Amino acid sequence: VQATTFADDFNSLSLFNWRNPSAGGTWRPASWYSPNDDGYAVNQGWMVNPFNPATPYTSLYTAANGMARLGIENNLGCGSACQNQPYLGSQILTQSFAQLHGYFEARISAPQVAGTGFAFWLMSASTWPPEIDIVEIVTTSTSSPAIAAQTLWDVTTSSIAGQCYSYETFPNYNATQFHTYGVDWTSATVTFYIDRVARCSFPTPAGYTAPMFPILSSQ
C-alpha cells in the first residue's frame, strides 16, 4: 500500500496569488509555463486568473462540502484582457506539489454542455512533453454522449504513445455522473483507470524522468 503524499478534499479552495506569494496557497489558477501568469487563451476560451485585476471572476473557482467547482461562462466583458475570447474557463494546478511516479486520481463529474470539455492531467514543470492525460472529457453536442480519452504522450516525437477511450473500455459511461479517474505511473508502465478498474496500460516512454504535477481544467 502506497502512502498518500498529497490530497485535497475540497471543503474549501486554497488559491495561490503570485502577487502575494507570502499568503501561500495550494492551487495556482490559470497558470501555464511562465511563473507570473494572469491567464491564457486556449481554443475559443480564456483561462481566468481571478487575481488579475482585469479578470476578477472568483465565481469560476469555488469549493464546499467536498467538491470543487471549476466554472465555464460566456465572456463576462473582460474584452482585450481576455483577448476577446467568447468563453471563460478555469484551471488549477498544484503550487508546490510534484512527484515522480505514483498513483494519481480525482473524482469528477462533467456537465453535458455542447462545446465544453474537462481535463485532469499531469505535466512537467520543465518541458513538454512528457504529459499524461488521466482523462479528457469532450462534449460535442447535447444529444450525443461525452467521450473520455486517456492519453500518454511520447517525449521524442511529441505524438501519442498510447490512448484508450471510454466507449471502448466502458460502454455504459456517462460523464455527467461522478467517476474516479486515475493513473498508475511507474518507471515501466502507465496504467489508466476508471472507477479504480484498469482500462488500458502502456510502456512508460523514454524521458519520463522528472516529477510532474496535477492540473484540472474546465473550458
Side-chain angles (χ1 to χ4, degrees):
V1 177
Q2 297 179 348
T4 300
T5 53
F6 174 85
D8 195 328
D9 291 331
F10 290 121
N11 291 313
S12 61
L13 189 58
S14 173
L15 294 181
F16 177 83
N17 179 0
W18 70 266
R19 290 182 168 83
N20 184 23
S22 63
T26 303
W27 298 93
R28 180 189 282 265
S31 180
W32 200 236
Y33 287 110
S34 64
N36 301 329
D37 255 307
D38 271 333
Y40 67 93
V42 56
N43 298 327
Q44 297 185 73
W46 180 264
M47 289 298 188
V48 169
N49 187 330
F51 298 114
N52 179 354
T55 62
Y57 306 123
T58 56
S59 62
L60 294 173
Y61 294 91
T62 59
N65 302 317
M67 183 169 61
R69 176 186 177 273
L70 299 182
I72 306 171
E73 299 279 358
N74 291 327
N75 194 317
L76 299 174
C78 54
S80 60
C82 299
Q83 294 185 7
N84 297 303
Q85 298 285 355
Y87 304 106
L88 304 181
S90 48
Q91 175 186 285
I92 53 176
L93 61 84
T94 49
Q95 166 59 21
S96 58
F97 171 78
Q99 183 168 291
L100 176 64
H101 305 147
Y103 179 73
F104 301 77
E105 73 170 18
R107 188 167 177 263
I108 297 165
S109 168
Q112 185 81 11
V113 178
T116 64
F118 189 91
F120 170 39
W121 37 310
L122 303 179
M123 283 280 290
S124 165
S126 57
T127 185
W128 181 90
E131 175 182 341
I132 300 175
D133 296 325
I134 302 172
V135 68
E136 290 184 294
I137 300 168
V138 178
T139 303
T140 57
S141 74
T142 56
S143 59
S144 60
I147 296 172
Q150 296 176 292
T151 308
L152 178 67
W153 290 85
D154 187 88
V155 173
T156 304
T157 63
S158 299
S159 61
I160 293 174
Q163 188 174 60
C164 55
Y165 290 94
S166 59
Y167 58 77
E168 297 171 339
T169 60
F170 198 178
N172 297 319
Y173 173 75
N174 182 345
T176 66
Q177 298 174 351
F178 275 100
H179 294 285
T180 299
Y181 302 94
V183 69
D184 188 18
W185 167 32
T186 75
S187 60
T189 58
V190 175
T191 304
F192 293 100
Y193 292 79
I194 300 179
D195 294 334
R196 297 184 175 174
V197 175
R199 299 294 171 180
C200 54
S201 187
F202 307 100
T204 302
Y208 275 66
T209 56
M212 292 200 283
F213 51 80
I215 308 172
L216 298 107
S217 58
S218 186
Q219 63 187 55

